[in-house]
Amino acid sequence: MDTVADMGGMQNFGSVSLTPPDDPPFHEEWERRAFAMALLSMRLSGTNLNSFRHALDRQHPIDYFAFGYYGRWLKMAENLLTDSSIIAPGAVEARARRLRGEDVDEPPPPEPNKPDYAPTAAGSIRQVDHPPKFAVGERVRARDIHPPGHTRLTRYVRGRTGEVRMIQPAMVLPDTHAHFQGENPQYVYAVAFDSAELWGPDAEPFTLSIDLSESYLEAVA
Amino acid sequence: MTVSDTDAERLPIALRTEALESILVERGLVDPKVMDGFIKNYEENVGPMNGAKVVAKAWVDPEYKARLLAEGTSAIAELGFKGPQGEHIVVLEQTPGTHHVVCCTLCSCYPWPVLGLPPAWYKDPAYRSRMVREPRKLLSEMGLDLADDVDVQVWDSVSEVRDMVLPERPAGTEDLAEEELAALVTRDAMVGVAKVAPPS
């Protein structure tokens, strides 16, 4: 999905302010709780890190910004838990209203319906029994595709040509793993792009490197 | 556009959080004490002080530095740092002629075992959108001016590979012990938006 989470190169977000070195990771108690529940929601819902990220990406663009960082995490936890029928739709709203004194009915807990899936190993790194398709120094093009579901192929590199800089370990493919359609383990490559290739001849001079799964790439003839 | 939660009355996010926790605890699905331990770990034990130890060791021990640059994950694990968001860590060495800086345009991917949870600015849409497009301008706004002849290398960490920057050792620190050096190293320098300042 081409979502608002894919922000590379977008303009008009303004300036960035550095925070003090001792700035704590959480500023409010609810942020601590949302953080912990979001991570626990993966196990509770029988999902994985890729579906976790997809549940962040697919929030409505207005919600994505309005909820803020840990607010998004909380909504993501709710989404994963609702999708797997661990909690009923509307259960959080009903409980919240009861907590503030309103007399509302709460939906009963549903019958869990977790995805029919189990990872073959912990984490994302996998062993594959074939050599990498591309070599360090080889010219490659990021495919100009628009996957309907989750992807980590950023819009700003699609169709652009770069050079393989490093071959990283083989890892599960987020695009299928997020949807429980298989791990599809494949090598990941750090691909280097010249800034002018990405942003045109007036771009600042620099090199952009990004880690891309093998199936995001095609050979340059 | 489809209906967003924004179209309905928005419940305060703190109340929403309390509601979800209340449901999960009531049904025995989460233990608040487990959550507390989890939170405390990321508030107290996992943070940039870990990465600072890695950097200081690399500054004083050339063999360690060579291992760190060749196989970041295992060299970092020698100091006991590993875990979630640290499956494969690549260490990028700053030099007088090359400046590395790390971002994540898609979310907030960050090497937790060495740097902890990301700071607010790293998650800011302005940082995520601009670092891959105008790094010199953005770094300058953040207080780091790079000379025109410096080779700027931006790393968008969107896979499960995590990047950590090995900053340059500042001048005037020849007599400092490893522990004193670690105290100089900042989170910002290990992401690449600052340099390590000499001792004041």
Side-chain angles (χ1 to χ4, degrees):
Chain A
M1 277 171 80
D2 293 340
T3 75
V4 71
D6 183 2
M7 291 179 187
M10 286 175 75
Q11 293 178 293
N12 212 28
F13 278 113
S15 58
V16 178
S17 304
L18 280 176
T19 39
D22 56 355
D23 194 41
F26 308 108
H27 292 92
E28 309 220 27
E29 178 59 17
W30 72 264
E31 294 181 338
R32 295 184 176 85
R33 314 311 288 175
F35 165 75
M37 279 192 287
L39 293 180
L40 290 168
S41 70
M42 269 187 284
R43 185 172 49 76
L44 289 175
S45 62
T47 59
N48 59 53
L49 186 59
N50 302 111
S51 29
F52 176 103
R53 293 218 182 88
H54 188 52
L56 282 171
D57 294 356
R58 62 187 157 96
Q59 293 181 35
H60 190 284
I62 293 176
D63 295 337
Y64 189 92
F65 291 107
F67 278 116
Y69 187 75
Y70 285 115
R72 284 202 284 282
W73 280 48
L74 181 80
K75 282 297 291 178
M76 183 264 302
E78 289 183 29
N79 290 344
L80 290 179
L81 294 167
T82 309
D83 288 352
S84 294
S85 292
I86 305 300
I87 59 172
V92 174
E93 287 85 351
R95 178 60 58 95
R97 291 181 190 286
R98 285 183 75 87
L99 285 173
R100 69 178 181 190
E102 293 176 40
D103 183 19
V104 293
D105 289 334
E106 295 189 86
E111 190 63 30
N113 183 25
K114 296 183 190 179
D116 179 17
Y117 133 93
T120 62
S124 299
I125 296 176
R126 299 289 184 269
Q127 297 297 318
V128 293
D129 58 8
H130 56 268
K133 187 172 170 185
F134 304 108
V136 171
E138 190 171 346
R139 303 285 291 167
V140 289
R141 186 183 300 112
R143 294 174 67 201
D144 189 9
I145 52 174
H146 297 264
H150 185 58
T151 189
R152 302 295 281 180
L153 173 59
T154 61
R155 280 200 284 272
Y156 76 92
V157 299
R158 293 178 193 171
R160 310 295 179 176
T161 299
E163 186 178 302
V164 173
R165 183 168 189 172
M166 274 186 233
I167 301 174
Q168 314 282 24
M171 297 182 172
V172 302
L173 180 68
D175 304 43
T176 50
H177 197 230
H179 302 283
F180 321 109
Q181 292 167 348
E183 295 187 341
N184 281 318
Q186 49 190 272
Y187 287 97
V188 170
Y189 303 81
V191 180
F193 296 88
D194 186 85
S195 57
E197 169 73 2
L198 299 175
W199 310 113
D202 295 332
E204 282 183 12
F206 67 97
T207 303
L208 181 287
S209 298
I210 181 169
D211 294 313
L212 299 171
S213 299
E214 194 165 84
S215 60
Y216 296 165
L217 299 170
E218 57 194 8
V220 175
Chain B
M1 292 210 293
T2 54
V3 175
S4 84
D5 286 354
T6 315
D7 300 322
E9 185 203 349
R10 185 180 289 283
L11 291 160
I13 196 73
L15 180 66
R16 245 193 132 90
T17 309
E18 188 187 347
L20 181 61
E21 184 172 352
S22 139
I23 293 169
L24 297 177
V25 169
E26 179 181 280
R27 291 176 50 197
L29 295 172
V30 301
D31 179 347
K33 288 201 174 60
V34 171
M35 284 175 60
D36 292 341
F38 207 59
I39 294 161
K40 198 173 172 198
N41 191 39
Y42 281 98
E43 287 190 315
E44 296 177 9
N45 305 327
V46 184
M49 62 285 194
N50 295 355
K53 287 179 188 157
V54 172
V55 169
K57 186 170 175 63
W59 283 348
V60 300
D61 179 346
E63 287 178 11
Y64 181 74
K65 179 178 163 183
R67 289 201 297 283
L68 184 66
L69 294 174
E71 290 277 349
T73 321
S74 55
I76 287 166
E78 288 177 36
L79 303 193
F81 308 133
K82 52 189 172 181
Q85 297 299 307
E87 237 185 315
H88 187 77
I89 303 177
V90 170
V91 179
L92 308 163
E93 183 186 16
Q94 306 288 43
T95 67
T98 302
H99 184 86
H100 299 282
V101 59
V102 180
C103 65
C104 170
T105 58
L106 294 178
C107 45
S108 53
C109 295
Y110 197 71
W112 289 7
V114 277
L115 296 188
L117 299 178
W121 55 262
Y122 188 85
K123 307 178 286 194
D124 188 320
Y127 186 83
R128 288 166 56 184
S129 60
R130 295 179 62 196
M131 190 51 83
V132 297
R133 182 160 177 165
E134 46 180 9
R136 286 172 178 274
K137 185 159 185 266
L138 181 55
L139 287 169
S140 176
E141 285 177 24
M142 295 174 82
L144 179 62
D145 286 307
L146 297 170
D148 288 346
D149 61 352
V150 170
D151 175 19
V152 176
Q153 298 282 337
V154 179
W155 298 78
D156 189 2
S157 57
V158 297
S159 76
E160 296 311 317
V161 177
R162 294 289 169 268
D163 299 298
M164 170 187 163
V165 170
L166 174 60
E168 285 181 88
R169 181 173 175 167
T173 58
E174 294 74 17
D175 299 331
L176 295 189
E178 192 175 324
E179 205 169 284
E180 295 169 306
L181 289 168
L184 299 176
V185 180
T186 63
R187 172 187 65 201
D188 297 352
M190 292 183 281
V191 179
V193 299
K195 293 183 183 235
V196 175
S200 48

PDB file of all heavy atoms in Angstrom, chain A residues 162-181:
ATOM      1  N   GLY A 162      20.649   2.121  -8.837  1.00  0.00           N
ATOM      2  CA  GLY A 162      21.732   2.302  -7.876  1.00  0.00           C
ATOM      3  C   GLY A 162      22.737   1.173  -8.005  1.00  0.00           C
ATOM      4  O   GLY A 162      22.742   0.430  -8.988  1.00  0.00           O
ATOM      5  N   GLU A 163      23.578   1.044  -6.972  1.00  0.00           N
ATOM      6  CA  GLU A 163      24.650   0.060  -7.004  1.00  0.00           C
ATOM      7  C   GLU A 163      24.647  -0.720  -5.695  1.00  0.00           C
ATOM      8  O   GLU A 163      24.530  -0.126  -4.617  1.00  0.00           O
ATOM      9  CB  GLU A 163      25.974   0.801  -7.169  1.00  0.00           C
ATOM     10  CG  GLU A 163      27.164  -0.113  -7.353  1.00  0.00           C
ATOM     11  CD  GLU A 163      28.446   0.708  -7.565  1.00  0.00           C
ATOM     12  OE1 GLU A 163      28.498   1.514  -8.522  1.00  0.00           O
ATOM     13  OE2 GLU A 163      29.368   0.543  -6.753  1.00  0.00           O
ATOM     14  N   VAL A 164      24.781  -2.038  -5.819  1.00  0.00           N
ATOM     15  CA  VAL A 164      24.826  -2.867  -4.606  1.00  0.00           C
ATOM     16  C   VAL A 164      26.093  -2.539  -3.826  1.00  0.00           C
ATOM     17  O   VAL A 164      27.199  -2.574  -4.358  1.00  0.00           O
ATOM     18  CB  VAL A 164      24.792  -4.373  -4.953  1.00  0.00           C
ATOM     19  CG1 VAL A 164      25.006  -5.213  -3.698  1.00  0.00           C
ATOM     20  CG2 VAL A 164      23.481  -4.736  -5.625  1.00  0.00           C
ATOM     21  N   ARG A 165      25.898  -2.222  -2.562  1.00  0.00           N
ATOM     22  CA  ARG A 165      27.015  -1.809  -1.732  1.00  0.00           C
ATOM     23  C   ARG A 165      27.394  -2.887  -0.724  1.00  0.00           C
ATOM     24  O   ARG A 165      28.565  -3.075  -0.409  1.00  0.00           O
ATOM     25  CB  ARG A 165      26.576  -0.544  -1.008  1.00  0.00           C
ATOM     26  CG  ARG A 165      27.609   0.064  -0.169  1.00  0.00           C
ATOM     27  CD  ARG A 165      27.141   1.445   0.235  1.00  0.00           C
ATOM     28  NE  ARG A 165      28.210   2.155   0.888  1.00  0.00           N
ATOM     29  CZ  ARG A 165      28.137   3.422   1.214  1.00  0.00           C
ATOM     30  NH1 ARG A 165      27.062   4.133   0.940  1.00  0.00           N
ATOM     31  NH2 ARG A 165      29.143   4.011   1.827  1.00  0.00           N
ATOM     32  N   MET A 166      26.390  -3.561  -0.203  1.00  0.00           N
ATOM     33  CA  MET A 166      26.630  -4.633   0.765  1.00  0.00           C
ATOM     34  C   MET A 166      25.570  -5.694   0.558  1.00  0.00           C
ATOM     35  O   MET A 166      24.432  -5.361   0.237  1.00  0.00           O
ATOM     36  CB  MET A 166      26.401  -4.134   2.199  1.00  0.00           C
ATOM     37  CG  MET A 166      27.544  -3.484   2.883  1.00  0.00           C
ATOM     38  SD  MET A 166      26.961  -3.205   4.603  1.00  0.00           S
ATOM     39  CE  MET A 166      27.306  -1.491   4.737  1.00  0.00           C
ATOM     40  N   ILE A 167      25.965  -6.949   0.766  1.00  0.00           N
ATOM     41  CA  ILE A 167      24.968  -8.024   0.798  1.00  0.00           C
ATOM     42  C   ILE A 167      24.714  -8.343   2.262  1.00  0.00           C
ATOM     43  O   ILE A 167      25.629  -8.710   3.007  1.00  0.00           O
ATOM     44  CB  ILE A 167      25.466  -9.272   0.033  1.00  0.00           C
ATOM     45  CG1 ILE A 167      25.755  -8.895  -1.433  1.00  0.00           C
ATOM     46  CG2 ILE A 167      24.429 -10.394   0.114  1.00  0.00           C
ATOM     47  CD1 ILE A 167      26.375 -10.011  -2.248  1.00  0.00           C
ATOM     48  N   GLN A 168      23.487  -8.162   2.689  1.00  0.00           N
ATOM     49  CA  GLN A 168      23.098  -8.401   4.082  1.00  0.00           C
ATOM     50  C   GLN A 168      22.598  -9.839   4.194  1.00  0.00           C
ATOM     51  O   GLN A 168      22.417 -10.515   3.177  1.00  0.00           O
ATOM     52  CB  GLN A 168      21.985  -7.418   4.476  1.00  0.00           C
ATOM     53  CG  GLN A 168      22.228  -5.955   4.073  1.00  0.00           C
ATOM     54  CD  GLN A 168      23.197  -5.220   4.991  1.00  0.00           C
ATOM     55  OE1 GLN A 168      24.025  -5.850   5.661  1.00  0.00           O
ATOM     56  NE2 GLN A 168      23.130  -3.904   4.998  1.00  0.00           N
ATOM     57  N   PRO A 169      22.352 -10.306   5.400  1.00  0.00           N
ATOM     58  CA  PRO A 169      21.826 -11.672   5.532  1.00  0.00           C
ATOM     59  C   PRO A 169      20.477 -11.822   4.821  1.00  0.00           C
ATOM     60  O   PRO A 169      19.784 -10.838   4.567  1.00  0.00           O
ATOM     61  CB  PRO A 169      21.634 -11.833   7.046  1.00  0.00           C
ATOM     62  CG  PRO A 169      22.475 -10.782   7.667  1.00  0.00           C
ATOM     63  CD  PRO A 169      22.535  -9.644   6.694  1.00  0.00           C
ATOM     64  N   ALA A 170      20.116 -13.073   4.537  1.00  0.00           N
ATOM     65  CA  ALA A 170      18.784 -13.339   4.001  1.00  0.00           C
ATOM     66  C   ALA A 170      17.765 -13.179   5.130  1.00  0.00           C
ATOM     67  O   ALA A 170      18.019 -13.550   6.274  1.00  0.00           O
ATOM     68  CB  ALA A 170      18.713 -14.753   3.427  1.00  0.00           C
ATOM     69  N   MET A 171      16.629 -12.601   4.792  1.00  0.00           N
ATOM     70  CA  MET A 171      15.584 -12.328   5.787  1.00  0.00           C
ATOM     71  C   MET A 171      14.215 -12.621   5.195  1.00  0.00           C
ATOM     72  O   MET A 171      14.054 -12.687   3.972  1.00  0.00           O
ATOM     73  CB  MET A 171      15.648 -10.846   6.196  1.00  0.00           C
ATOM     74  CG  MET A 171      16.961 -10.477   6.873  1.00  0.00           C
ATOM     75  SD  MET A 171      16.995  -8.749   7.391  1.00  0.00           S
ATOM     76  CE  MET A 171      18.533  -8.730   8.325  1.00  0.00           C
ATOM     77  N   VAL A 172      13.229 -12.723   6.077  1.00  0.00           N
ATOM     78  CA  VAL A 172      11.864 -12.936   5.592  1.00  0.00           C
ATOM     79  C   VAL A 172      11.435 -11.726   4.765  1.00  0.00           C
ATOM     80  O   VAL A 172      11.892 -10.604   5.000  1.00  0.00           O
ATOM     81  CB  VAL A 172      10.864 -13.171   6.750  1.00  0.00           C
ATOM     82  CG1 VAL A 172      11.268 -14.371   7.585  1.00  0.00           C
ATOM     83  CG2 VAL A 172      10.738 -11.938   7.629  1.00  0.00           C
ATOM     84  N   LEU A 173      10.554 -11.952   3.792  1.00  0.00           N
ATOM     85  CA  LEU A 173      10.055 -10.857   2.956  1.00  0.00           C
ATOM     86  C   LEU A 173       8.859 -10.207   3.660  1.00  0.00           C
ATOM     87  O   LEU A 173       7.828 -10.854   3.844  1.00  0.00           O
ATOM     88  CB  LEU A 173       9.640 -11.378   1.578  1.00  0.00           C
ATOM     89  CG  LEU A 173       9.097 -10.306   0.625  1.00  0.00           C
ATOM     90  CD1 LEU A 173      10.197  -9.328   0.217  1.00  0.00           C
ATOM     91  CD2 LEU A 173       8.461 -10.948  -0.608  1.00  0.00           C
ATOM     92  N   PRO A 174       8.990  -8.939   4.059  1.00  0.00           N
ATOM     93  CA  PRO A 174       7.891  -8.298   4.803  1.00  0.00           C
ATOM     94  C   PRO A 174       6.563  -8.343   4.053  1.00  0.00           C
ATOM     95  O   PRO A 174       5.499  -8.505   4.667  1.00  0.00           O
ATOM     96  CB  PRO A 174       8.371  -6.852   4.967  1.00  0.00           C
ATOM     97  CG  PRO A 174       9.861  -6.927   4.864  1.00  0.00           C
ATOM     98  CD  PRO A 174      10.143  -8.044   3.903  1.00  0.00           C
ATOM     99  N   ASP A 175       6.612  -8.221   2.726  1.00  0.00           N
ATOM    100  CA  ASP A 175       5.390  -8.111   1.920  1.00  0.00           C
ATOM    101  C   ASP A 175       4.460  -9.317   2.077  1.00  0.00           C
ATOM    102  O   ASP A 175       3.235  -9.167   2.095  1.00  0.00           O
ATOM    103  CB  ASP A 175       5.741  -7.947   0.427  1.00  0.00           C
ATOM    104  CG  ASP A 175       6.655  -6.759   0.184  1.00  0.00           C
ATOM    105  OD1 ASP A 175       7.616  -6.577   0.965  1.00  0.00           O
ATOM    106  OD2 ASP A 175       6.416  -6.013  -0.773  1.00  0.00           O
ATOM    107  N   THR A 176       5.051 -10.521   2.157  1.00  0.00           N
ATOM    108  CA  THR A 176       4.209 -11.717   2.317  1.00  0.00           C
ATOM    109  C   THR A 176       4.062 -12.083   3.797  1.00  0.00           C
ATOM    110  O   THR A 176       3.000 -12.504   4.238  1.00  0.00           O
ATOM    111  CB  THR A 176       4.796 -12.923   1.558  1.00  0.00           C
ATOM    112  OG1 THR A 176       6.183 -13.081   1.899  1.00  0.00           O
ATOM    113  CG2 THR A 176       4.671 -12.710   0.052  1.00  0.00           C
ATOM    114  N   HIS A 177       5.150 -11.898   4.561  1.00  0.00           N
ATOM    115  CA  HIS A 177       5.124 -12.301   5.970  1.00  0.00           C
ATOM    116  C   HIS A 177       4.082 -11.513   6.758  1.00  0.00           C
ATOM    117  O   HIS A 177       3.418 -12.048   7.644  1.00  0.00           O
ATOM    118  CB  HIS A 177       6.518 -12.111   6.564  1.00  0.00           C
ATOM    119  CG  HIS A 177       6.736 -12.857   7.846  1.00  0.00           C
ATOM    120  ND1 HIS A 177       7.244 -12.258   8.968  1.00  0.00           N
ATOM    121  CD2 HIS A 177       6.494 -14.152   8.186  1.00  0.00           C
ATOM    122  CE1 HIS A 177       7.320 -13.151   9.946  1.00  0.00           C
ATOM    123  NE2 HIS A 177       6.873 -14.308   9.492  1.00  0.00           N
ATOM    124  N   ALA A 178       3.929 -10.240   6.423  1.00  0.00           N
ATOM    125  CA  ALA A 178       2.950  -9.397   7.134  1.00  0.00           C
ATOM    126  C   ALA A 178       1.537  -9.932   6.979  1.00  0.00           C
ATOM    127  O   ALA A 178       0.686  -9.693   7.827  1.00  0.00           O
ATOM    128  CB  ALA A 178       3.008  -7.967   6.607  1.00  0.00           C
ATOM    129  N   HIS A 179       1.299 -10.655   5.874  1.00  0.00           N
ATOM    130  CA  HIS A 179      -0.055 -11.144   5.589  1.00  0.00           C
ATOM    131  C   HIS A 179      -0.155 -12.665   5.776  1.00  0.00           C
ATOM    132  O   HIS A 179      -1.093 -13.285   5.277  1.00  0.00           O
ATOM    133  CB  HIS A 179      -0.460 -10.743   4.170  1.00  0.00           C
ATOM    134  CG  HIS A 179      -0.419  -9.254   3.960  1.00  0.00           C
ATOM    135  ND1 HIS A 179      -1.403  -8.417   4.433  1.00  0.00           N
ATOM    136  CD2 HIS A 179       0.507  -8.447   3.383  1.00  0.00           C
ATOM    137  CE1 HIS A 179      -1.090  -7.158   4.137  1.00  0.00           C
ATOM    138  NE2 HIS A 179       0.054  -7.155   3.505  1.00  0.00           N
ATOM    139  N   PHE A 180       0.852 -13.257   6.441  1.00  0.00           N
ATOM    140  CA  PHE A 180       0.861 -14.695   6.752  1.00  0.00           C
ATOM    141  C   PHE A 180       0.827 -15.534   5.480  1.00  0.00           C
ATOM    142  O   PHE A 180       0.237 -16.604   5.436  1.00  0.00           O
ATOM    143  CB  PHE A 180      -0.303 -15.049   7.700  1.00  0.00           C
ATOM    144  CG  PHE A 180      -0.518 -13.995   8.743  1.00  0.00           C
ATOM    145  CD1 PHE A 180      -1.627 -13.154   8.714  1.00  0.00           C
ATOM    146  CD2 PHE A 180       0.433 -13.794   9.734  1.00  0.00           C
ATOM    147  CE1 PHE A 180      -1.789 -12.146   9.646  1.00  0.00           C
ATOM    148  CE2 PHE A 180       0.277 -12.795  10.679  1.00  0.00           C
ATOM    149  CZ  PHE A 180      -0.828 -11.976  10.624  1.00  0.00           C
ATOM    150  N   GLN A 181       1.455 -15.017   4.432  1.00  0.00           N
ATOM    151  CA  GLN A 181       1.485 -15.715   3.147  1.00  0.00           C
ATOM    152  C   GLN A 181       2.864 -16.299   2.860  1.00  0.00           C
ATOM    153  O   GLN A 181       3.254 -16.441   1.706  1.00  0.00           O
ATOM    154  CB  GLN A 181       1.071 -14.751   2.026  1.00  0.00           C
ATOM    155  CG  GLN A 181      -0.386 -14.339   2.118  1.00  0.00           C
ATOM    156  CD  GLN A 181      -0.740 -13.166   1.233  1.00  0.00           C
ATOM    157  OE1 GLN A 181       0.143 -12.503   0.694  1.00  0.00           O
ATOM    158  NE2 GLN A 181      -2.019 -12.890   1.089  1.00  0.00           N
TER     159      GLN A 181
END
